[in-house]
Amino acid sequence: MSATLIERPAPGPAAAATLAPRRRTRVFALPEARWAAAATALFLLALPLRLTGAPAWTWGPLYALAYATGGWEPAWAGLQALRERTLDVDLLMIVAALGAAAVGQLTDGALLIVIFATSGALEALATARTADSVRGLLDLAPATATRLLDGGTEESVPTGLLAVGDTVLVRPGERIGADGRVLDGTSEVDQATITGEPLPVAKQAGDEVFAGTLNGTGALRIEVDRDAADSVIARIVAMVEEAAGTKAPTQLFVEKVEQRYSIGMVLATLVVFAVPLAFGAAFTGSLLRAMTFMIVASPCAVVLATMPPLLSAIANAGRHGVLVKSAVVMERLGQVDAVALDKTGTLTEGTPRVTDLHPLPGAALTEDALLALAAAAEHPSEHPLARAVVEAARTRGLPLAPAADFVATPGVGVTATVDGRAVAVGAPARLLPGAAHAVHPAHAADPAAEYAAVVARELEEGGRTAVLVRADGRPVGVLGIADRLRPDAAATVTALTALTGSAPLLLTGDNPRAAARLAADVGITDVRAGLLPQDKVAAVREYEAAGRKVLVIGDGVNDAPALAAAHAGIAMGRAGSDLALETADAVIVRDELATVPAVVALSRRARGFVVQNLAIAALFISGLVVWDLVATLPLPLGVLGHEGSTVLVGLNGLRLLRESAWK
Ligand code: ADP
Ligand code: MG
């Protein structure tokens, strides 16, 4: 390694290059916008000619071209849809414009086409900008990074080619090229791209850094710990894009209703046209009124009411480190009225430390030998307690014997063969004889077992998690492990209580004493301890049977079934097991529990916007329809009202993209 590199970083041409502004879709990059502009220009050329009474051959072709440029795309799409037996509302717009033209109202028809095409372009722009704000995140990951080779030589490589284990030099002001861990150097890193947090975070050896975040004034040497495709930022983008492909239940409902509504609307249009005609009204007037009716009654705004608010909310949550996997989930999160929290790794930091070592008399083990035996058996496990045991053995420099026949039983512990001995490490309540569901029932009056039970009880009363170590069927020692509450645990419990109207429930596999003590510290009174994974599911089912909608928050393999059974499940992403991440509906990327109430509130806001949008749409449609039927609504005014409300609803939904929509 080369210390001089760290002290004298090269000044930053690299920094300048990586600070290029985000790519934003320009209006005229969109074909919709180009066609709309052409139609508008033709219309503006034709209109004065027509109004000043110029001969028809001057404005006629211009109008025809305006119809064609503005209308061919929706007409074509509408015809395609008809072949699949669905009625596209866009097609109705074109029919209305042609209808107007047929009765000599060329200008009104052209105006309809122009406004329709323009609002279509605006919609496309809004969609593209939402996509930009997500993809912009990916652009922030630099294209190249400086890899350090063993001899200390530097080479510049595309970030996509960095491998786990590579050492990368991050210069001051440079964007970090990969997710990794700091080897040496100190700096402040602006992580706003991932966390939304404006304040830079101090980094030193051992800390985690993320691709796409901006390094401050120090230089860092980092070891890559995730491939580019698995980086937090790449996962955010993938999930948001995936979510955009899903449809929320409200949207599915709207689309189902839309079809029937559209067909009913066409029939109603025929009635609006035919009835006055039968009573002797003029043909032209009747047709115009019917065309206006068809335009203003179209459910365009209704269709646009649901998805933009939900997708904007997903993008916003993603920026704050909560990956919501689909629009369905975004809708569901706000519906929950009960919350169940896991303890170890969720309410606590999940980086527990071994605090006590108690070899049992008669086992003839030193503290170190006990720890080494337990650590050897725990080594393959990803459980937070297992990591604590292994870490403690490492700190003491103990060599770990290889483990064979490793089996992990969620909520219970692990078993393995170490040095020819059958070792079990886990919950005393499950491993000691006489315990309910004991894995290895033995003779009741085993003095070693009784002694172990007393030690375990004492540790638990002190708020520790007791872990029993058994060798060849006999208890040989008890470890005391202490975990810390997350700093934001109490505030989160308070916020969730306020949001759902009842205090969260604690579901844990740990012992009742330690669980109750910790629960009291954060304001939870409803504690269910000593649970196996299926017991957690049963607790969720019990609540759901009582008509509650439960949100489960967990991290472990033992939480996965409950995460799947719940109305909505959120996994802790940093420490969480892969199974929990897969099963959950949403993932908290940085382990900040406080983002849970924030995302629930965001979901409620999104649902509020959906309702608001549906109301705006209904109000405009019914108002304009009544106007058209009772009095005579001029066609251009009908067009303006209809398109105006559609654009209004679309833009309203995008408001959740804004930073202030969070919290
Ligand atoms: P929680 O539900 O609070 O996250 P778990 O269900 O993961 O806790 O664990 C419950 C209990 O099972 C732990 O308190 C511990 O006693 C025991 N246990 C599970 N796995 C292990 C392991 N790998 N090593 C030691 N003990 C374990
Ligand atoms: Mg857990």
Side-chain angles (χ1 to χ4, degrees):
M1 123 179 191
S2 153
T4 49
L5 273 180
I6 304 293
E7 280 150 20
R8 270 188 289 110
T18 50
L19 280 173
R22 290 185 193 185
R23 181 159 39 85
R24 286 188 91 197
T25 303
R26 298 237 206 84
V27 181
F28 289 108
L30 298 166
E32 290 93 337
R34 290 202 289 261
W35 289 115
T40 310
L42 289 162
F43 176 71
L44 291 178
L45 279 178
L47 189 62
L49 293 172
R50 164 98 196 207
L51 292 181
T52 52
W57 61 264
T58 54
W59 46 262
L62 290 174
Y63 268 142
L65 277 174
Y67 276 78
T69 49
W72 78 269
E73 219 270 2
W76 177 247
L79 288 174
Q80 298 292 105
L82 265 192
R83 291 201 358 219
E84 285 162 25
R85 301 186 160 272
T86 53
L87 186 58
D88 195 57
V89 275
D90 290 6
L91 190 63
L92 300 182
M93 294 290 127
I94 306 301
V95 171
L98 293 177
V103 291
Q105 305 297 322
L106 267 183
T107 309
D108 286 2
L111 183 66
L112 169 57
I113 293 272
V114 164
I115 295 185
F116 184 66
T118 308
S119 79
L122 277 177
E123 248 174 74
L125 183 67
T127 312
R129 288 269 161 94
T130 317
D132 287 350
S133 83
V134 173
R135 227 170 287 123
L137 294 171
L138 255 197
D139 291 345
L140 289 178
T144 60
T146 309
R147 178 158 64 189
L148 293 176
L149 300 179
D150 281 346
T153 19
E154 293 175 29
E155 62 176 6
S156 176
V157 289
T159 45
L161 294 184
L162 287 173
V164 173
D166 279 355
T167 305
V168 168
L169 174 69
V170 185
R171 296 196 169 88
E174 201 176 27
R175 283 206 184 261
I176 297 175
D179 283 13
R181 205 168 275 283
V182 176
L183 293 173
D184 48 51
T186 54
S187 188
E188 304 242 299
V189 175
D190 174 355
Q191 307 200 128
T193 45
I194 289 198
T195 64
E197 225 33 79
L199 290 183
V201 184
K203 298 285 179 183
Q204 58 182 31
D207 288 343
E208 274 185 292
V209 292
F210 304 99
T213 57
L214 183 62
N215 186 22
T217 51
L220 298 171
R221 251 173 22 110
I222 66 167
E223 180 180 322
V224 178
D225 68 1
R226 259 191 297 261
D227 287 332
D230 291 340
S231 71
V232 169
I233 200 142
R235 274 161 52 191
I236 294 180
V237 173
M239 269 193 201
V240 176
E241 283 180 348
E242 211 171 285
T246 62
K247 280 185 178 165
T250 308
Q251 181 68 8
L252 290 174
F253 175 75
V254 163
E255 285 178 13
K256 213 166 87 195
V257 174
E258 183 205 348
Q259 270 307 304
R260 298 204 197 123
Y261 177 93
S262 303
I263 292 165
M265 207 187 76
V266 172
L267 296 179
T269 305
L270 290 177
V271 173
V272 170
F273 172 57
V275 170
L277 212 58
F279 286 93
F283 177 84
T284 309
S286 300
L287 187 67
L288 267 182
R289 168 176 285 194
M291 291 299 110
T292 312
F293 173 85
M294 190 156 88
I295 292 163
V296 297
S298 287
C300 299
V302 177
V303 174
L304 210 60
T306 310
M307 290 309 278
L310 293 173
L311 292 181
S312 306
I314 289 177
N316 194 331
R319 264 188 286 132
H320 288 91
V322 184
L323 307 188
V324 175
K325 290 188 189 168
S326 69
V328 182
V329 178
M330 194 29 108
E331 222 182 351
R332 282 183 168 190
L333 283 169
Q335 297 169 330
V336 299
D337 56 9
V339 180
L341 287 155
D342 165 60
K343 183 175 78 75
T344 318
T346 303
L347 212 48
T348 67
E349 287 187 336
T351 43
R353 274 173 232 297
V354 175
T355 50
D356 305 79
L357 293 167
H358 292 287
L360 296 179
L365 284 176
T366 61
E367 287 191 0
D368 279 357
L370 173 66
L371 185 57
L373 192 66
E378 291 274 36
H379 193 235
S381 167
E382 61 171 19
H383 196 278
L385 294 180
R387 275 179 276 168
V389 174
V390 173
E391 188 57 36
R394 286 244 167 83
T395 315
R396 291 190 177 210
L398 304 176
L400 298 191
D405 315 324
F406 173 82
V407 179
T409 312
V412 176
V414 303
T415 56
T417 308
V418 179
D419 283 337
R421 303 171 83 184
V423 179
V425 186
R430 310 252 172 228
L431 297 185
L432 283 174
H437 325 301
V439 170
H440 188 91
H443 0 279
D446 176 353
E450 268 167 29
Y451 186 83
V454 172
V455 173
R457 199 186 173 90
E458 267 169 19
L459 288 170
E460 288 168 0
E461 270 158 10
R464 308 262 145 92
T465 298
V467 170
L468 184 85
V469 185
R470 221 173 51 190
D472 292 327
R474 291 186 50 84
V476 293
V478 183
L479 314 182
I481 297 183
D483 196 355
R484 260 184 312 179
L485 266 182
R486 288 183 190 278
D488 52 356
T492 302
V493 168
T494 310
L496 287 172
T497 308
L499 275 173
T500 61
S502 58
L505 168 74
L506 187 67
L507 301 180
T508 177
D510 203 356
N511 74 82
R513 284 172 290 272
R517 212 180 134 127
L518 184 130
D521 286 348
V522 293
I524 294 184
T525 47
D526 201 351
V527 181
R528 307 208 182 170
L531 302 185
L532 292 173
Q534 57 269 35
D535 304 329
K536 293 195 179 192
V537 174
V540 170
R541 291 258 156 80
E542 184 188 304
Y543 266 66
E544 306 240 312
R548 308 284 291 272
K549 296 202 161 89
V550 185
L551 167 65
V552 169
I553 309 159
D555 68 312
V557 172
N558 63 323
D559 299 317
L563 286 170
H567 189 67
I570 301 185
M572 308 300 290
R574 282 265 121 238
S577 63
D578 290 347
L579 189 65
L581 302 196
E582 280 293 307
T583 322
D585 302 309
V587 175
I588 298 180
V589 178
R590 13 155 212 169
D591 275 352
E592 266 182 36
L593 210 50
T595 50
V596 172
V599 80
V600 170
L602 182 68
S603 164
R604 293 207 180 159
R605 227 161 282 142
R607 287 159 44 80
F609 273 102
V610 171
V611 171
Q612 200 180 70
N613 277 348
L614 289 172
I616 294 175
L619 205 72
F620 267 84
I621 291 174
S622 51
L624 292 171
V625 162
V626 169
W627 185 349
D628 186 49
L629 293 183
V630 175
T632 309
L633 170 64
L635 183 82
L637 211 59
V639 171
L640 270 179
H642 175 261
E643 294 300 326
S645 62
T646 307
V647 170
L648 186 70
V649 160
L651 293 179
N652 196 32
L654 296 181
R655 278 165 58 194
L656 284 177
L657 275 178
R658 288 189 314 202
E659 196 56 31
S660 57
W662 181 256
K663 284 203 186 129

